[in-house]
């Protein structure tokens, strides 16, 4: 007589809720980023009933500890405990909310076919926590997150050494397809010539140097944001829709 083990069907994991959609009358599909189970798509049953505690927990940008059971197509969330309710702070402020949405979009794209998502998870967790604290400008946090998450995915930009020959910077020209600054000798036609302050800001965002980033002026922020958006689009090969919603100063 065959023996069935149900132990392997169920698993427990920390997760960040990236996105949710409605399913049928009362259910919801949740897209989760986990540190060691990759990106998980799961059904949460009955969560759209007002009495559902699970429903309030499984909202975008919430950090949860979830119990799931493996299904044929989608997993099922059987339990979820709220660890950090970032979603509450982020849903009450439009600029933080749009920055968080853009981060979640990019995280979803970058983790779609990945199994090793520990670094992406840590990065998104740190960025959402900082957004929720509200002590850094949301657009600066978003741009820093975008540069670092693309770096994690294998497209690390450079805003100090020349991306072609490695000559130490600072350099004046930026080439988006090449991934950052290029020196005078390597500079291909069609490279951008941003202000030195903008390049310095990009370097600060990549390093997470918030003191330098916070001291930057609006023109540098605008120019740096355009370069980051160009870099993201170049690598993700489509316009990330939520980036268009972010109000840039
Ligand atoms: Zn060079």
């Amino acid at each position: 007589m065959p023996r069935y083990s149900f132990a392997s069907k169920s698993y427990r994991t920390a997760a960040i809720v990236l996105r949710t959609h409605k399913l049928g009358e009362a259910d919801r599909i949740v897209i989760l980023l986990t540190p060691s189970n990759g990106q998980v798509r799961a059904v949460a049953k009955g969560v759209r009933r007002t009495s559902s505690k699970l429903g309030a927990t499984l909202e975008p940008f919430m950090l949860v500890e979830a119990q799931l059971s493996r299904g044929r197509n989608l997993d099922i969330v059987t339990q979820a405990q709220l660890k950090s309710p970032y979603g509450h702070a982020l849903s009450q402020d439009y600029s933080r909310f749009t920055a968080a949405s853009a981060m979640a979009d990019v995280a979803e794209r970058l983790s779609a076919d990945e199994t090793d998502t520990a670094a992406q998870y840590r990065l998104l967790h740190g960025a959402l926590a900082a957004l929720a604290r509200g002590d850094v400008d949301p657009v600066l946090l978003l741009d820093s997150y975008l540069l670092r998450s693309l770096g994690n995915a294998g497209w690390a930009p450079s805003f100090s050494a020349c991306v072609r020959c490695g000559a130490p910077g600072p350099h004046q020209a930026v080439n988006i397809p090449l991934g950052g600054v290029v020196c005078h000798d390597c500079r291909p036609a069609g490279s951008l010539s941003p202000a030195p302050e903008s390049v310095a800001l990009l370097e600060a965002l990549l390093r997470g140097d918030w003191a330098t980033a916070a001291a930057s002026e609006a023109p540098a922020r605008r120019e740096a944001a355009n370069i980051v958006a160009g870099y993201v689009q170049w690598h993700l090969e489509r316009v990330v829709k939520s980036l268009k919603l972010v109000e840039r100063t």
Side-chain angles (χ1 to χ4, degrees), residues 162 164-167 182-183 185-186:
C162 170
R164 236 183 201 175
C165 73
V182 278
C183 71
D185 295 335
C186 295

Side-chain angles (χ1 to χ4, degrees), residues 91-154:
S91 63
Q92 282 158 21
D93 179 294
Y94 183 74
S95 62
R96 292 194 218 173
F97 179 81
T98 50
S101 300
M103 288 175 186
D105 251 29
V106 169
E108 187 181 345
R109 287 267 299 174
L110 293 177
S111 62
D113 306 310
E114 293 293 325
T115 46
D116 181 8
T117 43
Q120 290 289 359
Y121 178 88
R122 268 199 309 276
L123 194 63
L124 183 62
H125 184 188
L128 291 176
L131 262 183
R133 280 197 305 273
D135 45 10
V136 179
D137 179 84
V139 174
L140 292 178
L141 276 174
L142 170 62
D143 287 338
S144 176
Y145 170 80
L146 294 172
L147 290 175
R148 291 162 146 201
S149 62
L150 285 169
N152 258 338

